[in-house]
Amino acid sequence: MTPTLAPQPTVARVSSDVFAPIAGDLEEVERILSQTLSSERSCVADLVNHVGRFRGKRLRPALLLLTAHACGPVTHAHHVLGAVVEMVHTATLVHDDILDAASVRRHVPTVNARWGNQQSVLLGDYLFTKAFHLASTLDDVRGCRIVGEATNRVCEGELQQGAQCGNLDLTEGEYLDCIDGKTAGLTACCCRLGAVFAGATAAVTESLARYGRALGVAFQIADDLLDLIGEERTTGKSLGTDVAQQKLTLPLIRLLRNSPAASRVRELLRSPGNHKRELLGPYFSQCDALDYARRRAEEFAEQARTELDCLPPSAWRSILEALPQRVVHRVT
């Protein structure tokens, strides 16, 4: 397919529909996703159709496409790789729900809640294999290599987090290293793919990958805050799963370091029961842990924005500049 440059959006600031300028690109990604995951086997189709209801804002393919537009021409490869990263992301969600024993995502039952863990594991594997097969259909092997490296890091991050369950002495540095793999590795991958397949220089590609990595860290810190203080009816997913499994996130790490009642917090975290999130509220009100985590998310958001200095001024760059604040201050 001949590369084409889409017209730039006429507004620089991000509107309520931040991805409207790439709506056509995202529709093509959706078409490829649907085509790739179609199956004549009803048992497979039922599962795939169900995870289709997990559809969020398509942040990862949108990052890939926005980065591509900011760097040069958008090609068929970008649309294919947008579908690839979305399948990888969906596979991690399916597996995460098993690990977290979550029952709701996007206001519908999780796969594990409806079909059990065995089918959930197999569906996640199916999505991974479909993703890599789709990436392999491109003539350029760089797509498979970049996605493979990122997926390896995602799995390492999940293994690292699992190994630290119950470790109430986890440090902030160890936590950041974990989410660097678990979440930021894939957002960095999306930006790298967008730049590489648009013909960006090595220096610009590395800057944009760093943008994606910092954005991913900010996103995960904000997500961890929502797990503690968000509302399930708003987020549409099970909350409190991290604290229930003694997975320390940044607010909890700060609480255990700075709270005058740290010993009681430790006892609470180690106690049985599934109402720990509510019981932690009074302790958070006596400490700066929540504000500290928000500030750190803001710092990573600002770090992400500075990496965009590698791009010339454009409406695409303006959208990328606005995204970090949106992910930090979201409520879903």
Side-chain angles (χ1 to χ4, degrees):
M1 180 175 289
T2 304
T4 58
L5 270 173
Q8 287 193 5
T10 57
V11 292
R13 72 177 183 85
V14 176
S15 67
S16 58
D17 187 4
V18 66
F19 298 144
I22 54 169
D25 291 308
L26 287 172
E27 285 176 7
E28 179 61 10
V29 169
E30 294 291 337
R31 186 194 68 78
I32 295 170
L33 265 173
S34 178
Q35 181 182 60
T36 303
L37 294 175
S38 64
S39 175
E40 296 179 356
R41 295 173 175 82
S42 60
C43 60
V44 176
D46 287 346
L47 288 162
V48 169
N49 289 338
H50 186 75
V51 296
R53 299 171 71 184
F54 294 175
R55 185 183 185 278
K57 296 178 177 61
R58 295 300 198 232
L59 173 64
R60 287 146 194 88
L63 274 174
L64 189 156
L65 293 163
L66 287 167
T67 304
H69 277 294
C71 291
V74 174
T75 69
H76 175 64
H78 286 112
H79 298 137
V80 169
L81 292 168
V84 167
V85 297
E86 188 60 26
M87 279 190 281
V88 168
H89 173 58
T90 305
T92 65
L93 295 182
V94 172
H95 284 168
D96 277 351
D97 286 340
I98 302 169
L99 296 172
D100 295 339
S103 58
V104 178
R105 181 176 289 279
R106 293 285 171 189
H107 303 282
V108 299
T110 56
V111 178
N112 49 293
R114 184 164 175 179
W115 282 276
N117 287 349
Q118 184 177 22
Q119 289 294 85
S120 297
V121 170
L122 293 172
L123 176 62
D125 293 347
Y126 177 77
L127 291 168
F128 275 127
T129 59
K130 280 286 190 178
F132 281 101
H133 180 262
L134 178 60
S136 73
T137 64
L138 297 175
D139 292 335
D140 194 328
V141 299
R142 290 178 298 176
C144 275
R145 183 169 66 247
I146 293 169
V147 174
E149 289 171 351
T151 307
N152 287 344
R153 188 70 186 93
V154 168
C155 292
E156 286 178 351
E158 289 288 0
L159 287 167
Q160 190 176 354
Q161 183 180 61
Q164 296 291 356
C165 279
N167 177 14
L168 302 188
D169 295 311
L170 190 74
T171 67
E172 180 174 331
E174 290 169 332
Y175 160 81
L176 291 173
D177 184 56
C178 176
I179 66 173
D180 179 78
K182 174 186 168 185
T183 302
L186 189 55
T187 50
C189 166
C190 294
C191 295
R192 184 180 297 279
L193 288 168
V196 165
F197 281 82
T201 66
V204 169
T205 297
E206 291 307 315
S207 289
L208 291 173
R210 288 193 296 270
Y211 164 85
R213 189 170 297 280
L215 179 72
V217 173
F219 181 98
Q220 188 59 55
I221 294 174
D223 206 57
D224 291 340
L225 276 164
L226 284 175
D227 192 63
L228 289 167
I229 60 174
E231 295 184 8
E232 290 194 356
R233 64 183 178 181
T234 303
T235 62
K237 65 179 181 179
S238 300
L239 297 178
T241 56
D242 289 333
V243 68
Q245 299 180 51
Q246 297 181 44
K247 292 180 181 178
L248 286 200
T249 56
L250 187 55
L252 289 170
I253 292 169
R254 181 73 171 184
L255 182 65
L256 286 170
R257 299 298 176 272
N258 283 32
S259 172
S263 60
R264 290 197 291 276
V265 173
R266 283 175 175 266
E267 291 174 5
L268 173 58
L269 291 173
R270 290 193 171 116
S271 66
N274 58 358
H275 298 293
K276 297 175 186 176
R277 193 173 87 115
E278 293 79 6
L279 296 173
L280 284 169
Y283 298 105
F284 279 121
S285 67
Q286 301 166 9
C287 178
D288 72 341
L290 298 178
D291 287 337
Y292 176 79
R294 290 190 190 98
R295 288 198 304 273
R296 292 294 281 143
E298 289 276 5
E299 288 170 8
F300 280 102
E302 180 57 30
Q303 181 181 326
R305 285 192 294 271
T306 62
E307 293 293 348
L308 296 174
D309 290 343
C310 67
L311 296 172
S314 72
W316 306 110
R317 171 175 164 172
S318 294
I319 296 172
L320 289 169
E321 286 174 335
L323 274 179
Q325 281 298 317
R326 290 181 66 90
V327 304
V328 167
H329 296 291
R330 73 190 194 281
V331 294
T332 61

